[in-house]
């Protein structure tokens, strides 16, 4: 190998290391970590306020919750922003990342491919319309044009109501684009997680938007930590999740992000 | 790794509809794009620099910015400005046509300029008008040279139409994303989409080879 090639190779290695360091990976050491046990967790940090990037740091409710769980379990961990698709494949394989934490709703169809932790968050989908809209409930959406983020439970729910092959159900790449579609008049409503809708309405008071809660048609759904099939981490971390919810740490984090008390009883009974 | 063919079978009907959408949008856009491109290509060959400038700018803008951004601008900016609301079918036609026109313009210009100037001079010396020289002498020869480049542009357009999933156009990638969301599985939807695109572009290239031999 010539000297030029060596220099080139080391430059390449240096560059890729820099690139990896820039990927937004938060390293957190667990409190009283047992020797060597550690878990690598993937997330799609584009879902404020649940998980999002603040320049190069991952923040959000899920991130704080995860920290509490890992401290409770005494496990070292890293959380990395891999994006949605990479998270799904790498967690399914379980070699690079052993878990995914990214507001992933627990559904039966998905359980065919993944294991889930016990539920750690109760959510529901919410309808967002412009003020003065005649839409009052989820069933009013049947003949309307509805925008959702594809590959979410909002998508699944609306597919059930409108039909999976109905092109009036517009699936966008992200909630942000779905919301733009509503503002541009291309959709009558957006359906998304309640936290997302509330955050958006709060941040955009000029758009004159209203959120509609329809507990009857959009039941509660629960987020879980995503594991590969047969993962041993489920048994290790489930007790820690339960403890964090029971000992009040969970309520503290919840209060800090959403300004209200969580219904922890419902959460613990949800399984 | 397990591969769930049953999920693909379940989604096959909508994938087929997505394929028809992709084909329809691509064919219409390549047609509109080449008509626009012909005009823009001639514009860029205008004798005076002041006339050339807008065409020059058009080509550079559409070749120099990602189609991803162009689709967003057309969908949320251009179409609502005319219609008052978004319209995904219009977005699909307009964004792809405008983009394709920029590339077609360069194909036309290069094709026409590749014809030896002597051909034109000969035609003019026979008493043909400038238009007749273009119509009967230069264009027939140039078009023969343009066919492979056009074929390439068409294939690129078919693949690029996948970006329309960004604004929820019901094409192949859109249904692929839908399938992904229901099962949180990656390979079944993406490989199915890849296979469909491959079949489309491969048959297209075979067809184009045939046309190349004929012209």
């Amino acid at each position: 190998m010539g000297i030029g090639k060596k220099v080139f190779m080391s430059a390449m290695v240096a560059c890729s290391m820099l690139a990896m360091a820039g990927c937004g990976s938060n390293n957190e050491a667990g409190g009283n970590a047992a020797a060597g046990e550690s878990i690598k967790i993937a997330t799609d940090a584009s879902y404020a306020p649940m998980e999002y990037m603040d320049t190069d740091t991952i923040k959000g409710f899920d991130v704080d919750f995860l920290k509490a769980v890992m401290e409770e379990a005494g496990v070292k961990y890293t959380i990395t922003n891999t994006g949605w698709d990479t998270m799904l494949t790498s967690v399914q394989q379980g070699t690079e990342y052993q878990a995914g934490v990214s507001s992933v709703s627990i559904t039966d169809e998905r359980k065919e491919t993944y294991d889930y932790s016990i539920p750690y968050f109760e959510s529901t989908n919410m309808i967002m319309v412009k003020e003065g809209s005649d839409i009052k409930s989820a069933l009013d959406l049947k003949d309307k044009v509805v925008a959702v983020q594809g590959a979410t439970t909002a998508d699944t729910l609306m597919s059930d109501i409108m039909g999976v092959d109905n092109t009036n159900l517009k699936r966008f790449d992200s909630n942000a684009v779905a919301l733009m579609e509503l503002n541009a008049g291309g959709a009558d409503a957006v359906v998304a997680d309640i936290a997302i809708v509330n955050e958006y309405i709060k941040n955009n008071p000029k758009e004159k938007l209203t959120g509609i809660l329809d507990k009857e048609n959009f039941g509660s759904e629960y987020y879980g930590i995503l594991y590969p099939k047969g993962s041993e981490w489920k048994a290790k971390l489930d007790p820690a999740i339960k403890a964090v919810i029971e000992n009040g740490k969970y309520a503290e984090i919840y209060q800090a992000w959403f300004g209200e008390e969580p219904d922890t009883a419902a959460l613990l009974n949800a399984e | 790794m397990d591969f769930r063919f049953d999920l693909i079978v379940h989604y096959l009907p909508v994938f087929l509809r997505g394929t028809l959408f992709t084909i329809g949008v691509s064919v219409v856009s390549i047609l509109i794009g080449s008509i626009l491109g012909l005009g823009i290509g001639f514009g860029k060959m205008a004798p005076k620099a002041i006339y050339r400038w807008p065409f020059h700018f058009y080509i550079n803008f559409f070749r120099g910015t990602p189609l991803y951004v162009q689709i967003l601008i057309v969908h949320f900016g251009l179409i609502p400005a005319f219609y008052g609301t978004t319209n995904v079918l219009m977005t699909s036609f307009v964004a792809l046509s405008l983009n394709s026109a920029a590339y077609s313009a360069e194909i036309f210009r290069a094709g026409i300029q590749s014809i030896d100037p002597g051909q034109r001079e000969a035609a003019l010396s026979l008493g043909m008008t400038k238009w007749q020289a273009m119509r009967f002498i230069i264009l027939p020869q140039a078009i023969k040279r343009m066919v492979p480049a056009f074929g390439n542009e068409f294939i690129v357009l078919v693949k690029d139409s996948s970006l329309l999933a960004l604004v929820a156009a019901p094409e192949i990638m859109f249904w692929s994303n839908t399938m992904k969301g229901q099962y949180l599985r990656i390979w079944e939807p993406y490989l199915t989409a890849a296979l469909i695109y491959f079949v489309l572009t491969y048959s297209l290239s075979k067809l184009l080879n045939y046309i190349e031999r004929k012209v």
Side-chain angles (χ1 to χ4, degrees), chain B residues 139-151 206-215:
Chain B
L139 271 185
Q141 298 182 70
I143 282 171
K144 201 172 161 63
R145 291 184 186 179
M146 291 173 202
V147 168
F150 256 117
K206 284 286 162 204
L207 179 73
L208 288 161
N209 280 341
Y210 176 78
I211 295 174
E212 263 174 59
R213 282 199 308 273
K214 286 282 167 187
V215 290

mmCIF file of all heavy atoms in Angstrom, chain B residues 139-151 206-215:
data_model
loop_
_atom_site.group_PDB
_atom_site.id
_atom_site.type_symbol
_atom_site.label_atom_id
_atom_site.label_comp_id
_atom_site.label_asym_id
_atom_site.label_seq_id
_atom_site.Cartn_x
_atom_site.Cartn_y
_atom_site.Cartn_z
ATOM 1 N N LEU B 139 -34.158 18.405 -38.347
ATOM 2 C CA LEU B 139 -34.875 17.655 -37.317
ATOM 3 C C LEU B 139 -34.902 16.141 -37.556
ATOM 4 O O LEU B 139 -34.649 15.374 -36.624
ATOM 5 C CB LEU B 139 -36.298 18.195 -37.137
ATOM 6 C CG LEU B 139 -36.468 19.323 -36.113
ATOM 7 C CD1 LEU B 139 -37.944 19.663 -35.952
ATOM 8 C CD2 LEU B 139 -35.882 18.939 -34.749
ATOM 9 N N PRO B 140 -35.183 15.683 -38.793
ATOM 10 C CA PRO B 140 -35.216 14.227 -38.988
ATOM 11 C C PRO B 140 -33.897 13.560 -38.609
ATOM 12 O O PRO B 140 -33.893 12.474 -38.012
ATOM 13 C CB PRO B 140 -35.484 14.077 -40.498
ATOM 14 C CG PRO B 140 -36.176 15.335 -40.881
ATOM 15 C CD PRO B 140 -35.571 16.406 -40.024
ATOM 16 N N GLN B 141 -32.801 14.200 -38.919
ATOM 17 C CA GLN B 141 -31.505 13.615 -38.563
ATOM 18 C C GLN B 141 -31.265 13.726 -37.062
ATOM 19 O O GLN B 141 -30.731 12.810 -36.435
ATOM 20 C CB GLN B 141 -30.368 14.350 -39.289
ATOM 21 C CG GLN B 141 -30.456 14.254 -40.787
ATOM 22 C CD GLN B 141 -29.279 14.961 -41.432
ATOM 23 O OE1 GLN B 141 -28.149 14.507 -41.361
ATOM 24 N NE2 GLN B 141 -29.553 16.101 -42.061
ATOM 25 N N ALA B 142 -31.661 14.870 -36.513
ATOM 26 C CA ALA B 142 -31.405 15.107 -35.081
ATOM 27 C C ALA B 142 -32.219 14.150 -34.227
ATOM 28 O O ALA B 142 -31.714 13.598 -33.242
ATOM 29 C CB ALA B 142 -31.726 16.559 -34.722
ATOM 30 N N ILE B 143 -33.490 13.934 -34.626
ATOM 31 C CA ILE B 143 -34.366 13.098 -33.805
ATOM 32 C C ILE B 143 -33.801 11.691 -33.689
ATOM 33 O O ILE B 143 -33.832 11.076 -32.626
ATOM 34 C CB ILE B 143 -35.801 13.106 -34.383
ATOM 35 C CG1 ILE B 143 -36.477 14.420 -33.986
ATOM 36 C CG2 ILE B 143 -36.612 11.921 -33.870
ATOM 37 C CD1 ILE B 143 -37.801 14.677 -34.641
ATOM 38 N N LYS B 144 -33.223 11.200 -34.762
ATOM 39 C CA LYS B 144 -32.609 9.882 -34.733
ATOM 40 C C LYS B 144 -31.532 9.824 -33.641
ATOM 41 O O LYS B 144 -31.393 8.836 -32.946
ATOM 42 C CB LYS B 144 -31.991 9.598 -36.106
ATOM 43 C CG LYS B 144 -31.767 8.128 -36.384
ATOM 44 C CD LYS B 144 -31.356 7.956 -37.827
ATOM 45 C CE LYS B 144 -30.680 6.631 -38.092
ATOM 46 N NZ LYS B 144 -31.509 5.462 -37.853
ATOM 47 N N ARG B 145 -30.784 10.906 -33.542
ATOM 48 C CA ARG B 145 -29.723 10.933 -32.523
ATOM 49 C C ARG B 145 -30.284 11.145 -31.117
ATOM 50 O O ARG B 145 -29.634 10.853 -30.138
ATOM 51 C CB ARG B 145 -28.738 12.070 -32.830
ATOM 52 C CG ARG B 145 -27.944 11.780 -34.079
ATOM 53 C CD ARG B 145 -26.913 12.852 -34.308
ATOM 54 N NE ARG B 145 -26.276 12.620 -35.586
ATOM 55 C CZ ARG B 145 -25.332 13.394 -36.099
ATOM 56 N NH1 ARG B 145 -24.930 14.458 -35.414
ATOM 57 N NH2 ARG B 145 -24.799 13.127 -37.253
ATOM 58 N N MET B 146 -31.505 11.725 -31.047
ATOM 59 C CA MET B 146 -32.057 12.038 -29.728
ATOM 60 C C MET B 146 -32.719 10.825 -29.067
ATOM 61 O O MET B 146 -32.903 10.815 -27.857
ATOM 62 C CB MET B 146 -33.137 13.126 -29.856
ATOM 63 C CG MET B 146 -32.635 14.484 -30.222
ATOM 64 S SD MET B 146 -34.107 15.500 -30.502
ATOM 65 C CE MET B 146 -33.425 16.789 -31.523
ATOM 66 N N VAL B 147 -33.087 9.831 -29.880
ATOM 67 C CA VAL B 147 -33.895 8.736 -29.328
ATOM 68 C C VAL B 147 -33.272 8.070 -28.096
ATOM 69 O O VAL B 147 -33.946 7.918 -27.075
ATOM 70 C CB VAL B 147 -34.237 7.698 -30.426
ATOM 71 C CG1 VAL B 147 -34.819 6.436 -29.819
ATOM 72 C CG2 VAL B 147 -35.223 8.307 -31.404
ATOM 73 N N PRO B 148 -31.978 7.701 -28.136
ATOM 74 C CA PRO B 148 -31.435 7.061 -26.921
ATOM 75 C C PRO B 148 -31.484 7.977 -25.705
ATOM 76 O O PRO B 148 -31.836 7.529 -24.598
ATOM 77 C CB PRO B 148 -29.984 6.759 -27.312
ATOM 78 C CG PRO B 148 -29.954 6.786 -28.791
ATOM 79 C CD PRO B 148 -30.989 7.771 -29.213
ATOM 80 N N ALA B 149 -31.186 9.244 -25.900
ATOM 81 C CA ALA B 149 -31.199 10.179 -24.771
ATOM 82 C C ALA B 149 -32.611 10.336 -24.215
ATOM 83 O O ALA B 149 -32.817 10.403 -23.001
ATOM 84 C CB ALA B 149 -30.647 11.529 -25.204
ATOM 85 N N PHE B 150 -33.593 10.361 -25.113
ATOM 86 C CA PHE B 150 -34.986 10.457 -24.661
ATOM 87 C C PHE B 150 -35.405 9.225 -23.886
ATOM 88 O O PHE B 150 -36.095 9.312 -22.869
ATOM 89 C CB PHE B 150 -35.929 10.644 -25.852
ATOM 90 C CG PHE B 150 -36.409 12.040 -25.959
ATOM 91 C CD1 PHE B 150 -36.112 12.810 -27.059
ATOM 92 C CD2 PHE B 150 -37.155 12.598 -24.925
ATOM 93 C CE1 PHE B 150 -36.530 14.111 -27.130
ATOM 94 C CE2 PHE B 150 -37.570 13.898 -24.997
ATOM 95 C CZ PHE B 150 -37.256 14.660 -26.107
ATOM 96 N N GLY B 151 -34.984 8.083 -24.400
ATOM 97 C CA GLY B 151 -35.297 6.839 -23.709
ATOM 98 C C GLY B 151 -34.759 6.865 -22.294
ATOM 99 O O GLY B 151 -35.451 6.515 -21.327
ATOM 100 N N LYS B 206 -36.307 -2.262 -23.342
ATOM 101 C CA LYS B 206 -36.436 -3.189 -24.463
ATOM 102 C C LYS B 206 -37.202 -2.529 -25.611
ATOM 103 O O LYS B 206 -36.812 -2.598 -26.767
ATOM 104 C CB LYS B 206 -37.178 -4.453 -24.009
ATOM 105 C CG LYS B 206 -36.334 -5.391 -23.203
ATOM 106 C CD LYS B 206 -35.352 -6.127 -24.096
ATOM 107 C CE LYS B 206 -34.216 -6.734 -23.273
ATOM 108 N NZ LYS B 206 -33.012 -6.951 -24.046
ATOM 109 N N LEU B 207 -38.302 -1.860 -25.227
ATOM 110 C CA LEU B 207 -39.128 -1.176 -26.226
ATOM 111 C C LEU B 207 -38.309 -0.110 -26.951
ATOM 112 O O LEU B 207 -38.378 0.038 -28.170
ATOM 113 C CB LEU B 207 -40.330 -0.546 -25.515
ATOM 114 C CG LEU B 207 -41.301 0.242 -26.374
ATOM 115 C CD1 LEU B 207 -42.126 -0.705 -27.239
ATOM 116 C CD2 LEU B 207 -42.233 1.086 -25.511
ATOM 117 N N LEU B 208 -37.498 0.609 -26.178
ATOM 118 C CA LEU B 208 -36.705 1.684 -26.767
ATOM 119 C C LEU B 208 -35.628 1.134 -27.701
ATOM 120 O O LEU B 208 -35.358 1.720 -28.750
ATOM 121 C CB LEU B 208 -36.081 2.534 -25.664
ATOM 122 C CG LEU B 208 -37.107 3.398 -24.940
ATOM 123 C CD1 LEU B 208 -36.583 3.846 -23.596
ATOM 124 C CD2 LEU B 208 -37.479 4.594 -25.799
ATOM 125 N N ASN B 209 -35.039 -0.002 -27.327
ATOM 126 C CA ASN B 209 -34.071 -0.633 -28.222
ATOM 127 C C ASN B 209 -34.711 -0.936 -29.565
ATOM 128 O O ASN B 209 -34.120 -0.731 -30.621
ATOM 129 C CB ASN B 209 -33.553 -1.942 -27.612
ATOM 130 C CG ASN B 209 -32.494 -1.683 -26.578
ATOM 131 O OD1 ASN B 209 -31.893 -0.603 -26.561
ATOM 132 N ND2 ASN B 209 -32.261 -2.647 -25.724
ATOM 133 N N TYR B 210 -35.946 -1.426 -29.486
ATOM 134 C CA TYR B 210 -36.689 -1.764 -30.700
ATOM 135 C C TYR B 210 -36.910 -0.510 -31.544
ATOM 136 O O TYR B 210 -36.657 -0.496 -32.751
ATOM 137 C CB TYR B 210 -38.014 -2.406 -30.301
ATOM 138 C CG TYR B 210 -38.922 -2.712 -31.446
ATOM 139 C CD1 TYR B 210 -38.711 -3.831 -32.249
ATOM 140 C CD2 TYR B 210 -40.015 -1.883 -31.725
ATOM 141 C CE1 TYR B 210 -39.547 -4.109 -33.302
ATOM 142 C CE2 TYR B 210 -40.856 -2.160 -32.790
ATOM 143 C CZ TYR B 210 -40.627 -3.278 -33.575
ATOM 144 O OH TYR B 210 -41.445 -3.544 -34.619
ATOM 145 N N ILE B 211 -37.349 0.566 -30.879
ATOM 146 C CA ILE B 211 -37.604 1.813 -31.599
ATOM 147 C C ILE B 211 -36.315 2.347 -32.221
ATOM 148 O O ILE B 211 -36.288 2.781 -33.370
ATOM 149 C CB ILE B 211 -38.222 2.870 -30.655
ATOM 150 C CG1 ILE B 211 -39.599 2.393 -30.209
ATOM 151 C CG2 ILE B 211 -38.321 4.232 -31.335
ATOM 152 C CD1 ILE B 211 -40.241 3.270 -29.170
ATOM 153 N N GLU B 212 -35.208 2.262 -31.471
ATOM 154 C CA GLU B 212 -33.922 2.741 -31.984
ATOM 155 C C GLU B 212 -33.541 2.031 -33.280
ATOM 156 O O GLU B 212 -33.007 2.640 -34.194
ATOM 157 C CB GLU B 212 -32.822 2.487 -30.948
ATOM 158 C CG GLU B 212 -32.508 3.688 -30.083
ATOM 159 C CD GLU B 212 -31.515 3.322 -29.002
ATOM 160 O OE1 GLU B 212 -30.403 2.882 -29.335
ATOM 161 O OE2 GLU B 212 -31.863 3.470 -27.818
ATOM 162 N N ARG B 213 -33.802 0.730 -33.297
ATOM 163 C CA ARG B 213 -33.459 -0.009 -34.511
ATOM 164 C C ARG B 213 -34.355 0.395 -35.670
ATOM 165 O O ARG B 213 -33.952 0.341 -36.828
ATOM 166 C CB ARG B 213 -33.593 -1.515 -34.258
ATOM 167 C CG ARG B 213 -32.424 -2.110 -33.482
ATOM 168 C CD ARG B 213 -32.371 -3.629 -33.658
ATOM 169 N NE ARG B 213 -33.647 -4.252 -33.358
ATOM 170 C CZ ARG B 213 -34.018 -4.638 -32.135
ATOM 171 N NH1 ARG B 213 -33.217 -4.440 -31.117
ATOM 172 N NH2 ARG B 213 -35.186 -5.206 -31.939
ATOM 173 N N LYS B 214 -35.580 0.805 -35.371
ATOM 174 C CA LYS B 214 -36.558 1.113 -36.428
ATOM 175 C C LYS B 214 -36.321 2.480 -37.053
ATOM 176 O O LYS B 214 -36.470 2.642 -38.252
ATOM 177 C CB LYS B 214 -37.984 1.055 -35.858
ATOM 178 C CG LYS B 214 -38.475 -0.345 -35.599
ATOM 179 C CD LYS B 214 -38.921 -1.020 -36.888
ATOM 180 C CE LYS B 214 -39.112 -2.515 -36.683
ATOM 181 N NZ LYS B 214 -39.393 -3.210 -37.943
ATOM 182 N N VAL B 215 -35.999 3.485 -36.229
ATOM 183 C CA VAL B 215 -35.900 4.848 -36.794
ATOM 184 C C VAL B 215 -34.639 5.020 -37.634
ATOM 185 O O VAL B 215 -33.649 4.373 -37.402
ATOM 186 C CB VAL B 215 -35.964 5.948 -35.712
ATOM 187 C CG1 VAL B 215 -37.356 6.021 -35.127
ATOM 188 C CG2 VAL B 215 -34.912 5.758 -34.652
#
